[in-house]
Amino acid sequence: GMPVEQNPPALSLYEGADSGLRCNFSTTMKSVQWFQQNHRGRLITLFYLAQGTKENGRLKSTFNSKERYSTLHIKDAQLEDSGTYFCAAYQGGRALIFGTGTTVSVSP
Amino acid sequence: EAAVTQSPRSKVAVTGGKVTLSCHQTNNHDYMYWYRQDTGHGLRLIHYSYVADSTEKGDIPDGYKASRPSQENFSLILELASLSQTAVYFCASSGTFSNERLFFGHGTKLSVL
């Protein structure tokens, strides 16, 4: 299978809702990064994790290398959270391996 | 905030023509990358470099060349552009180790007609 599987492919939220995105890895990864691609196509780095959990405002991300997954949690969703979210993992050797993305749509 | 600048921001090319995409970073980073993004898909690695005057193949290098004349500059070259190379191209840089945080440019939208 794919080395990085990202779910769900799409997510629709109302403002104020909480939800989560997940990436599963086919093998042990050394680190993971999460990106948001906004409506202009710009890629914004949200988190870089080598282990554990990080929080930034309403966003929280967890990376469990042993269990081979990472999550991104959105709390109190806002309209500006709309976009496509990508996880990307580093296995070693070459560069990051990207997931296929989750398109998040937040509506009033 | 680290800076990665791509040029041009968009380009229309003819099939069989030569296209050069340029990337410049002011981060003093060793690693630079070229990724391709197709509509509705994630990013795929084309070429990367970890030192000037040296480039490495990524996952989809066919039809592309890369050049790293200095630490700051990294170019992607399409010698004979094809319709299938229509995509958005992102340049990125990272620190000494390739698994460090990536900094992306704005992207270049390339349309091959």
Side-chain angles (χ1 to χ4, degrees):
Chain A
M2 297 289 289
V4 178
E5 289 192 355
Q6 191 169 346
N7 290 292
L11 188 60
S12 294
L13 301 173
Y14 287 109
E15 279 186 298
D18 300 345
S19 192
L21 291 64
R22 184 179 177 105
C23 281
N24 292 317
F25 312 122
S26 62
T27 186
T28 302
M29 300 295 183
K30 297 184 178 183
S31 66
V32 67
Q33 300 186 36
W34 284 91
F35 305 90
Q36 180 195 28
Q37 188 166 35
N38 64 21
H39 67 281
R40 296 181 179 178
R42 185 72 194 271
L43 283 161
I44 302 165
T45 302
L46 299 174
F47 293 104
Y48 164 77
L49 299 100
Q51 64 178 5
T53 298
K54 288 188 177 180
E55 289 190 60
N56 184 1
R58 296 177 294 98
L59 300 179
K60 182 169 80 172
S61 182
T62 296
F63 174 48
N64 187 321
S65 60
K66 184 177 180 181
E67 300 297 323
R68 302 182 184 178
Y69 74 89
S70 179
T71 60
L72 177 68
H73 190 78
I74 302 173
K75 182 178 179 181
D76 184 25
Q78 301 297 306
L79 297 178
E80 61 263 30
D81 295 330
S82 295
T84 301
Y85 291 78
F86 293 97
C87 69
Y90 179 67
Q91 183 180 357
R94 296 200 293 201
L96 293 174
I97 305 169
F98 278 76
T100 51
T102 295
T103 300
V104 175
S105 300
V106 182
S107 55
Chain B
E1 181 74 9
V4 179
T5 305
Q6 292 181 231
S7 61
R9 294 291 291 271
S10 66
K11 183 172 180 64
V12 178
V14 295
T15 304
K18 182 177 181 178
V19 177
T20 300
L21 307 182
S22 299
C23 181
H24 178 81
Q25 55 107 350
T26 59
N27 312 325
N28 198 32
H29 283 166
D30 288 330
Y31 282 80
M32 295 187 75
Y33 314 83
W34 278 105
Y35 285 92
R36 165 179 173 154
Q37 184 178 33
D38 295 282
T39 302
H41 291 82
L43 279 70
R44 293 181 291 171
L45 181 66
I46 307 171
H47 285 287
Y48 69 104
S49 168
Y50 54 85
V51 68
D53 295 322
S54 177
T55 64
E56 305 291 332
K57 293 181 179 180
D59 297 321
I60 53 165
D62 293 345
Y64 303 94
K65 292 183 179 179
S67 173
R68 183 92 181 269
S70 64
Q71 186 193 42
E72 297 80 14
N73 295 293
F74 191 36
S75 297
L76 185 68
I77 302 150
L78 291 67
E79 294 280 3
L80 295 170
S82 66
L83 294 173
S84 63
Q85 293 177 312
T86 293
V88 178
Y89 292 84
F90 286 95
C91 176
S93 74
S94 65
T96 305
F97 300 102
S98 63
N99 64 328
E100 288 189 359
R101 177 185 169 183
L102 278 183
F103 293 87
F104 282 95
H106 283 81
T108 295
K109 185 176 182 179
L110 174 64
S111 298
V112 182
L113 305 177

